[in-house]
Amino acid sequence: MLYSPTPLHIPDGFLSLTVSIFFWLITLVVLSVAVRRTEKLDEKQVPLMGVMAAFIFAAQMINFPVAGGTSGHLLGGALAAIMLGPWAGMLVMTSVVAVQGLLFQDGGLLVMGANIFNMGLLTAAIGFGLYKAAEGRTRAVKLGAAGLGAWLSVMAGALFASLQLWLSGTARLDIVMPAMLGIHALIGLGEALITVAALSFIFRTRPDLLDESKNAAQGGRGWVWVGGLVSLFVVFLSPFASAAPDGLERVAINAGFISTSADAPYSILPDYTLPFLGETGLSTILAGIVGALVVGVLVVLLLRGRAKATE
Amino acid sequence: MIHNNLFDRYYATESPLHRLSPSVKVLLTVFFILSNALLPDGHWIGFGISWAVIFLLNWVGQLGWGYTFKRSFIALPFALAAVTAIFALPGKTLAEFDVLFWHLLATDAGLLRFFSIVVRSWLSVQVAILLVATTQFPDLIHALEHLRLPRMLITVIAFLYRYIFVLSDEVLRLLRARQARSAVLPGQSGGGTVFWRAKIAGNMVGQLFLRSYERSDRIYNAMLARGYQGHLRTLNRHAMHTRDWVILILSSAALLFLQIFTHF
């Protein structure tokens, strides 16, 4: 089968109406800004974004065997944002998620707002933000930033998907979050490798497409802050949520997501003691650091190999 | 040759469902999925009625009774995420497990919730399959335009659909080329390390990007040459007939009635 679904596409029925509508609202606000910003650029952008959306769709078919019959492939949010700019990248990923949901039922319609947020908006913000932070640096630094951005963008999507599932009362946070983050730490590794390799290929063959002075109109330095803040949020929230789910629950109650009535749709059992939670929190932090280090080392190794090959 | 059968989910035939206005079908699909989401946990009569309606619509749409059911398994792997709901709700304890660090209590309320989530999702997937099986995708895109979605986004989606077929052929060529150069002698392991393979896949993605980018340039020039003015046109007027209005109102009322019936 050429078209392989990823575990990030939430189907209908898995998110509560409140959560679905909340994320639809955020997504619509961001998208309306994206549409206005992109319309200001020349009208050539529209066919370009359309073909690029088809490109992301087709690029997801390119897989590589990992081990035991499993294979990795690209999600593409970070790559799209780096090549086209954050706003256009968001629109491209939105149409990809929309077609996957509409045509293949890979991801639901009512929950599409959440899916677009996880896979289109977050990924573009992080991918572009971190890449922009390396502006003016050497090619190797840029590729490293892109790789880290790609890995973090997948982790951010997984984090938000598990938060949404938990807020909907569909899953238990202390199980779904380590599971989702664990799987996506690996999927994100594939994402980082492919993104870096694809970018370095484009650097070699068409460096003009990645020319900074030409692409200045895509998005300003402000994106460094946006991407950085979202990344920090991901890096800090993951351990916090694992270490103190009660604290997170308090926040959710205050924000009005979880009702405090007697028959709460979701509540952690009162007599439920979790002696291991400290460990889990610590292990999540460690996993995050190790993951980031592994990505960094891999990027450096890849670059070394490339440098040697060209010598 | 274009492999359009890879992605086309349309079932070509003549039926009242196929003739219904695409806008009405899109609206009713959304209402139906909304109704599924609002059905209370464990209301099996409500779920049963919805399932029976879908079954009936399969027949009305001339798709054969099991059409949507046979294609509805795509969302099932995701049910794995909902398994934890079994252990998430307070209620009568049915069983206890100790897995790794977790001490899990399966409760009756949790089990009820799990099955309700799976059924809801199953129903919604079938409704969505029904929509794309009876509506051609270009019609669907124009329906979205009539429903006042941002025109630019719709145009991007239209382009996406148009060029999926072209670019997936490009991918098939790339994959075939890789396969042709990946012969392995019997008794020897081939293929290098995982990182090397990922790098090759990344190079292919980069290659595909450049081909797509250059193609979009040519497409834009060709469009300008034919008088492109910023949006795609259609010859289908998609006018709403009386029949469409009647079906829209009656079906919405039926869904509303189902909600009232299941909640009171």
Side-chain angles (χ1 to χ4, degrees):
Chain A
M1 173 103 179
L2 277 169
Y3 179 70
S4 43
T6 50
L8 270 184
H9 295 81
I10 304 172
D12 274 319
F14 283 80
L15 294 187
S16 72
L17 206 56
T18 323
V19 174
S20 311
I21 290 174
F22 179 76
F23 278 96
W24 254 124
L25 287 179
I26 299 183
T27 301
L28 285 180
V29 169
V30 178
L31 282 184
S32 66
V33 178
V35 166
R36 232 174 306 137
R37 286 301 178 91
T38 325
E39 265 171 355
K40 272 194 207 153
L41 305 171
D42 55 354
E43 63 169 14
K44 196 180 165 179
Q45 281 283 316
V46 174
L48 176 63
M49 284 193 293
V51 178
M52 283 300 119
F55 153 72
I56 295 287
F57 210 103
Q60 293 186 348
M61 289 160 53
I62 297 179
N63 55 0
F64 64 98
V66 178
T70 59
S71 62
H73 71 91
L74 187 78
L75 296 177
L79 183 62
I82 290 170
M83 292 310 302
L84 302 172
W87 297 119
M90 282 176 184
L91 290 176
V92 162
M93 288 311 288
T94 299
S95 35
V96 171
V97 173
V99 169
Q100 282 169 339
L102 271 175
L103 198 56
F104 301 103
Q105 290 77 49
D106 191 11
L109 304 184
L110 206 59
V111 300
M112 197 182 276
N115 280 333
I116 291 174
F117 181 83
N118 299 345
M119 287 180 284
L121 310 189
L122 282 179
T123 51
I126 293 181
F128 186 80
L130 295 197
Y131 181 76
K132 189 84 181 171
E135 195 178 32
R137 304 296 175 85
T138 61
R139 209 172 264 189
V141 176
K142 280 186 188 173
L143 287 177
L148 190 65
W151 186 74
L152 274 175
S153 72
V154 173
M155 291 301 270
L159 173 71
F160 271 85
S162 34
L163 285 178
Q164 287 152 0
L165 287 169
W166 166 65
L167 288 170
S168 306
T170 303
R172 233 172 73 173
L173 190 65
D174 62 324
I175 301 176
V176 80
M177 191 130 103
M180 283 288 267
L181 289 182
I183 296 170
H184 285 90
L186 286 177
I187 293 180
L189 217 55
E191 178 85 5
L193 286 170
I194 295 185
T195 304
V196 169
L199 275 179
S200 82
F201 182 84
I202 296 166
F203 264 129
R204 268 176 301 174
T205 45
R206 285 286 303 272
D208 57 306
L209 293 180
L210 288 160
D211 190 342
E212 275 163 4
S213 52
K214 263 204 229 159
N215 296 343
Q218 287 177 345
R221 295 288 295 178
W223 282 97
V224 177
W225 289 100
V226 176
L229 282 177
V230 181
S231 309
L232 279 182
F233 184 72
V234 173
V235 170
F236 282 106
L237 190 71
S238 316
F240 171 68
S242 310
D246 296 336
L248 202 59
E249 190 167 16
R250 184 71 27 80
V251 175
I253 289 168
N254 290 343
F257 271 113
I258 299 180
S259 65
T260 41
S261 60
D263 56 340
Y266 177 85
S267 68
I268 288 172
L269 296 178
D271 57 342
Y272 200 75
T273 51
L274 304 163
F276 54 86
L277 270 183
E279 278 175 54
T280 313
L282 196 64
S283 61
T284 316
I285 298 175
L286 282 178
I289 295 171
V290 169
L293 281 178
V294 168
V295 174
V297 169
L298 285 178
V299 169
V300 170
L301 284 179
L302 268 183
L303 293 174
R304 280 248 184 92
R306 215 172 50 80
K308 264 187 203 150
T310 48
E311 266 166 20
Chain B
M1 190 192 119
I2 283 190
H3 300 78
N4 62 334
N5 52 337
L6 270 182
F7 297 115
D8 208 359
R9 296 294 191 264
Y10 179 69
Y11 186 92
T13 181
E14 263 299 304
S15 84
L17 268 192
H18 286 73
R19 278 193 299 274
L20 193 60
S21 152
S23 308
V24 172
K25 277 188 273 191
V26 170
L27 278 179
L28 286 180
T29 302
V30 172
F31 290 165
F32 204 147
I33 292 175
L34 195 66
S35 154
N36 293 337
L38 286 170
L39 286 176
D41 276 4
H43 202 295
W44 304 117
I45 299 176
F47 289 141
I49 292 173
S50 304
W51 202 299
V53 169
I54 292 172
F55 211 50
L56 197 71
L57 287 175
N58 269 300
W59 175 74
V60 174
Q62 304 270 323
L63 304 169
W65 290 104
Y67 184 88
T68 57
F69 181 73
K70 268 185 263 166
R71 285 157 183 76
S72 64
F73 292 88
I74 179 158
L76 272 197
F78 210 87
L80 210 59
V83 167
T84 57
I86 299 174
F87 315 106
L89 292 181
K92 210 174 97 213
T93 306
L94 302 175
E96 293 185 34
F97 303 96
D98 279 300
V99 186
L100 295 175
F101 321 107
W102 294 283
H103 180 65
L104 302 173
L105 293 170
T107 61
D108 53 350
L111 209 60
L112 193 70
R113 169 146 217 134
F114 169 70
F115 281 114
S116 304
I117 289 171
V118 171
V119 170
R120 263 191 217 117
S121 145
W122 210 326
L123 287 171
S124 303
V125 165
Q126 292 197 56
V127 179
I129 293 173
L130 208 56
L131 173 68
V132 289
T134 59
T135 318
Q136 281 180 327
F137 202 76
D139 284 339
L140 202 60
I141 290 169
H142 286 299
L144 295 179
E145 198 170 339
H146 285 288
L147 295 172
R148 301 266 180 275
L149 265 77
R151 179 178 274 173
M152 178 194 237
L153 202 56
I154 307 273
T155 315
V156 173
I157 292 177
F159 270 105
L160 162 58
Y161 185 73
R162 172 66 186 82
Y163 287 99
I164 288 176
F165 304 110
V166 179
L167 294 187
S168 66
D169 273 9
E170 200 84 70
V171 168
L172 289 180
R173 277 194 289 275
L174 284 169
L175 290 174
R176 203 186 308 129
R178 178 176 69 175
Q179 220 166 6
R181 287 155 183 78
S182 303
V184 179
L185 289 174
Q188 285 187 12
S189 69
T193 63
V194 171
F195 303 116
W196 179 78
R197 287 191 293 243
K199 198 184 134 196
I200 298 299
N203 285 343
M204 286 162 75
V205 169
Q207 170 86 309
L208 182 68
F209 176 86
L210 292 183
R211 288 186 191 180
S212 313
Y213 193 90
E214 278 151 16
R215 188 185 287 276
S216 87
D217 254 358
R218 292 207 303 276
I219 290 167
Y220 180 67
N221 292 343
M223 284 164 61
L224 277 188
R226 293 180 209 118
Y228 175 68
Q229 283 176 327
H231 76 276
L232 302 177
R233 290 163 182 279
T234 171
L235 291 177
N236 292 356
R237 299 307 314 165
H238 287 297
M240 293 273 283
H241 301 290
T242 324
R243 206 176 65 104
D244 298 314
W245 282 110
V246 169
I247 288 177
L248 176 64
I249 292 166
L250 284 184
S251 311
S252 310
L255 285 171
L256 195 65
F257 181 76
L258 179 71
Q259 286 305 315
I260 295 170
F261 166 71
T262 51
H263 280 87
F264 299 103

